Amino acid sequence: DLKHFLEALKLEKVNILGWSAGGPVAQLLACKYPEMVEKLILVGSVGCKGTMMKDAQGRLMREKGDFERCWVVLDLIGMMRAKNNRLLRWYLENAGFQNKDLPANEVMEKYVNEVKLQRNMIDMFNALNSFNISDECNGICLGTKEIKEIKGPCLLIHGSNDENVLCESSWEIKRYLDKNAKIEIIEGERHFLFEPKTAGKVAKLVQDFMC
C-alpha cells in the first residue's frame, strides 16, 4: 500500500520515518523496495524480530485467535468502541507514560481522541507478532532474512525508559545493519517521543540525519 501511495504521488525516492508499530512498515518498504528509500528513520520502533507478545498466562500468542481471546486486548478494544475517554486516558497515562511526566491536559485529550480512531488492533498485534525479517527464529516464526536488503543509512531513535517497545529493539536492528545504522538514545524518555517535551530534540536528530 505504501509503495502504491508513493507511486501515486510520483515520489521515486524518499526518506521514510516509522514510529512504534509503523517501524516494521518502514523496514519492509526499505527491504522490498530499496531503490525507493534514500534513508530510513525508526523511532521507538518494533525490532526486526517483531514483538512476541504473551497472554496473561505467559504463553506466546502465535495466531490471530490468541489475540481475539486475550482479555487485555479485548478490554482495550471495548474502551475504544465505547469511546470511554476516562478509561482510555487512564490506559495512556499508565501504559504510555508509566504515570510519570504527563503532558498537559489538552495534549492528553488529543492523544485520547487519536486512540479512538484505531480500527485494526487485533490484526496489528497479530502482524507484529509474526513479523520477523531477521535471520533467526523469534520463537514464533523463522526469519525471512530480508533485513539484509536494507542498503541505505538508518537512524534509530529510542527513549531509554521506553516500556512499550524496549530499547533492545533498536539495538537489535543496529546489530544487523552494523555501520549503516546510527543509534540515538534519549535518556530518561519513554515511548511518546513526539510529545512537546521531546519533539524538538527528535526533529533536530532527524533533520541533521537527512541533510
Side-chain angles (χ1 to χ4, degrees):
D1 288 345
L2 186 52
K3 175 180 182 287
H4 295 321
F5 176 71
L6 295 173
E7 288 173 340
L9 294 177
K10 296 182 169 53
L11 298 173
E12 295 181 359
K13 202 164 184 109
V14 298
N15 297 318
I16 183 164
L17 185 152
W19 172 63
S20 191
V25 179
Q27 291 172 57
L28 279 176
L29 185 75
C31 289
K32 294 181 179 296
Y33 310 103
E35 72 282 358
M36 299 185 76
V37 178
E38 182 75 36
K39 293 181 179 180
L40 174 64
I41 302 134
L42 300 172
V43 181
S45 173
V46 169
C48 56
K49 292 183 183 177
T51 51
M52 294 163 284
M53 291 179 64
K54 297 179 180 180
D55 63 17
Q57 287 73 45
R59 296 173 298 209
L60 282 173
M61 291 193 276
R62 298 177 177 274
E63 54 190 34
K64 186 175 178 180
D66 293 331
F67 290 95
E68 291 172 336
R69 292 184 291 270
C70 177
W71 66 267
V72 176
V73 176
L74 294 177
D75 276 358
L76 184 53
I77 291 173
M79 292 180 214
M80 293 174 187
R81 288 178 178 167
K83 301 190 186 310
N84 191 322
N85 286 25
R86 184 177 61 82
L87 281 178
L88 285 171
R89 176 164 178 156
W90 174 86
Y91 174 81
L92 280 177
E93 288 176 350
N94 285 272
F97 293 96
Q98 289 79 52
N99 243 337
K100 298 173 184 175
D101 303 321
L102 296 176
N105 277 331
E106 58 270 22
V107 176
M108 285 302 300
E109 286 174 10
K110 289 180 180 179
Y111 288 157
V112 168
N113 287 329
E114 287 297 316
V115 168
K116 288 189 293 187
L117 300 177
Q118 172 64 254
R119 294 290 181 272
N120 64 339
M121 183 67 71
I122 288 174
D123 288 314
M124 180 189 72
F125 283 149
N126 186 48
L128 292 176
N129 245 29
S130 57
F131 174 76
N132 185 4
I133 58 171
S134 76
D135 59 5
E136 304 169 77
C137 179
N138 64 5
I140 297 174
C141 57
L142 294 173
T144 64
K145 304 180 181 180
E146 288 175 290
I147 194 167
K148 296 176 181 178
E149 302 304 317
I150 297 178
K151 306 299 183 185
C154 175
L155 173 65
L156 300 153
I157 304 173
H158 222 111
S160 66
N161 294 352
D162 191 336
E163 295 181 26
N164 292 72
V165 181
L166 300 180
C167 259
E168 282 80 354
S169 296
S170 284
W171 284 111
E172 181 180 76
I173 296 168
K174 165 69 175 167
R175 179 167 66 87
Y176 277 97
L177 299 184
D178 196 20
K179 295 177 182 177
N180 275 356
K182 176 183 179 182
I183 191 163
E184 295 280 356
I185 303 298
I186 302 181
E187 289 299 326
E189 297 304 331
R190 295 174 174 80
H191 194 57
F192 290 86
L193 291 176
F194 296 106
E195 66 158 311
K197 184 176 64 170
T198 49
K201 186 167 188 175
V202 172
K204 179 71 164 55
L205 289 171
V206 171
Q207 288 168 346
D208 290 346
F209 178 69
M210 291 195 300
C211 291

